[in-house]
Amino acid sequence: MIERFEPNRATQAGFAAYHDVVTASQAADRPGEPALPLEELIGRMKKPMPGMGRAAHWVGLRDRDVVAVAEVLFLDEENSDIALVNVKLLPKHRRAGIGSALLRAILPELKAQERRAIESWDVVAGTAGQWWAETVGLRQVRRVVRQALITATADRTRWDVPVPAGYRLEYWEGTAPESLVASYALARGAIHDAPLGDSDYRWPEYTVERVRAAEAELRSQGILQRLVVAVHEATGAVSALTELCVHPRRPDWGYQRDTAVVAEHRGSGLGRCVKAHMLCRLVVDAPEVRWISTTTGAENTHMIRVNDEVGYTTLPALIAVQGEVAAVEARLAAVR
Ligand SMILES: CC(C)(COP(=O)(O)OP(=O)(O)OC[C@H]1O[C@@H](n2cnc3c(N)ncnc32)[C@H](O)[C@@H]1OP(=O)(O)O)[C@@H](O)C(=O)NCCC(=O)NCCS
């Protein structure tokens, strides 16, 4: 039986059952990695992460037990035609047609929300998710390298990176200084050069208004956004940036997000410099952060190398898969 799961009406037991599926599925596909805490899952289900649009959830039940879950994020702005789908099953219930049944059950909602394409970014390469995706008509469009840094064991001498001549570093939390915000919004656009493979996802077009709106959204969720930027002394322009977020319900975890160097400033070591400086600040200001995670397109060898240099280790890769809703529907009609 497949049911909608409404986070605003769910009980603690309902969330716990949902969480059990997520945790067991992750333990099977990413053994040894810390599980998402229940409270963090509940928070994200009630209010999706900034920039991810509105969410909807389903559960698959067998004999009244939740054995499968599905989350759909209806991306917005430049990605309003994409539904980001994540289906997960308890390992012992896999291969019984439940994943396909869940996907089939959510298709009417995807069409009602005028979604053209389905993407899923959370498939661990070489696991059931990859073979299943192919079967249901989702093709691989991108490979993503996952890297993690454990602060307790990291070699901190690697963070001793000098600031290239002609630049100074600035640091802020939550709100870009008024004097830099316009230049910072422009610099964020440098992320557009980060490869997205054949994914239909489009990076946001940053403006001062969107930067301020994103900051406000993060603040409203209690997420602490830390920025290290490099300012080009001659022009006063932000030429590189790196962003790391810590969530209130997961204080031991750092989400290393965008790092971007403006095109004309590349090749001077600014990427490594801002990233290393972020780590130096973080371990002093937030010693409770024990694990930092980041993802990078597999073709983005420069970023991956920078991460290696500052002490990240590489985890099993992810693949992003994608298919047109109509094509997936046709494929699913043929699968049991
Ligand atoms: C991917 C997942 C949801 C599939 O759910 P499922 O209920 O086991 O899948 P189904 O039984 O509907 O599989 C349908 C078809 O997909 C293919 N398939 C599924 N798992 C497979 C595997 N491990 N190896 C090879 N083919 C597989 C088969 O063709 C299968 O049909 P068959 O069993 O008649 O041969 C489940 O394995 C899972 O939770 N994985 C972890 C999370 C994940 O990667 N989700 C995908 C992102 S949306």
Side-chain angles (χ1 to χ4, degrees):
M1 202 163 74
I2 293 168
E3 287 178 355
R4 268 303 269 269
F5 183 92
E6 301 287 355
N8 291 325
R9 291 208 300 269
T11 61
Q12 192 70 13
F15 281 121
Y18 195 114
H19 182 253
D20 284 348
V21 175
V22 173
T23 308
S25 179
Q26 180 189 302
D29 294 338
R30 304 177 181 184
E33 290 183 35
L36 190 69
L38 173 61
E39 293 308 317
E40 176 69 2
L41 178 90
I42 294 174
R44 282 191 201 177
M45 289 178 77
K46 289 187 170 168
K47 203 155 189 357
M49 306 264 264
M52 301 310 283
R54 195 175 60 74
H57 302 271
W58 286 259
V59 288
L61 299 132
R62 178 159 268 179
D63 304 327
R64 296 206 181 155
D65 292 330
V66 176
V67 300
V69 301
E71 175 196 57
V72 179
L73 292 166
F74 295 99
L75 299 182
D76 53 19
E77 304 281 355
E78 11 322 73
N79 299 300
S80 298
D81 58 342
I82 301 176
L84 207 55
V85 174
N86 208 336
V87 180
K88 286 185 163 56
L89 261 77
L90 287 178
K92 68 173 183 235
H93 289 278
R94 291 183 183 173
R95 219 62 198 270
I98 299 172
S100 306
L102 256 178
L103 188 57
R104 202 178 285 117
I106 67 181
L107 287 176
E109 179 76 6
L110 305 193
K111 289 195 280 186
Q113 298 297 325
E114 298 180 345
R115 301 292 144 158
R116 177 188 54 79
I118 296 174
E119 296 212 1
S120 181
W121 299 345
D122 208 20
V123 179
V124 184
T127 66
Q130 180 168 359
W131 321 128
W132 175 76
E134 281 171 18
T135 307
V136 299
L138 298 167
R139 72 182 178 98
Q140 178 173 337
V141 288
R142 189 174 185 227
R143 192 174 171 90
V144 174
V145 170
R146 294 164 59 236
Q147 292 170 290
L149 184 142
I150 297 164
T151 53
T153 52
D155 173 4
R156 297 183 181 192
T157 62
R158 290 167 176 245
W159 307 343
D160 188 11
V161 178
V163 182
Y167 297 90
R168 70 166 195 277
L169 299 186
E170 298 269 350
Y171 171 81
W172 69 76
E173 293 176 4
T175 309
E178 205 51 49
S179 58
L180 287 176
V181 68
S183 167
Y184 165 63
L186 264 179
R188 287 211 68 132
I191 197 72
H192 289 230
D193 294 337
L196 286 170
D198 286 335
S199 167
D200 281 348
Y201 179 78
R202 293 291 156 258
W203 296 111
E205 293 295 340
Y206 287 103
T207 59
V208 172
E209 292 68 35
R210 282 184 80 168
V211 164
R212 291 299 190 215
E215 290 174 346
E217 177 66 23
L218 289 166
R219 273 197 302 274
S220 79
Q221 293 201 27
I223 296 172
L224 182 58
Q225 183 200 37
R226 300 165 179 273
L227 258 299
V228 173
V229 305
V231 178
H232 184 227
E233 298 276 23
T235 56
V238 172
S239 46
L241 63 95
T242 194
E243 175 193 21
L244 188 143
C245 291
V246 178
H247 295 215
R249 295 168 297 257
R250 206 180 198 187
D252 61 345
W253 196 280
Y255 293 87
Q256 169 64 63
R257 299 200 186 285
D258 287 9
T259 297
V261 180
V262 175
E264 54 270 35
H265 297 277
R266 292 180 190 154
S268 306
L270 284 173
R272 190 158 72 102
C273 174
V274 290
K275 251 186 164 159
H277 191 79
M278 175 67 87
L279 292 167
C280 290
R281 289 277 320 213
L282 189 76
V283 293
V284 173
D285 294 354
E288 62 280 12
V289 173
R290 292 173 36 225
W291 174 288
I292 302 170
S293 67
T294 194
T295 56
T296 310
E299 319 89 304
N300 200 340
T301 49
H302 299 307
M303 190 79 272
I304 293 165
R305 201 186 60 238
V306 165
N307 291 339
D308 287 340
E309 285 166 355
V310 296
Y312 281 82
T313 52
T314 299
L315 300 172
L318 295 179
I319 58 167
V321 295
Q322 191 232 56
E324 300 282 317
V325 171
V328 170
E329 186 172 33
R331 270 302 263 283
L332 280 170
V335 181
R336 85 193 131 99

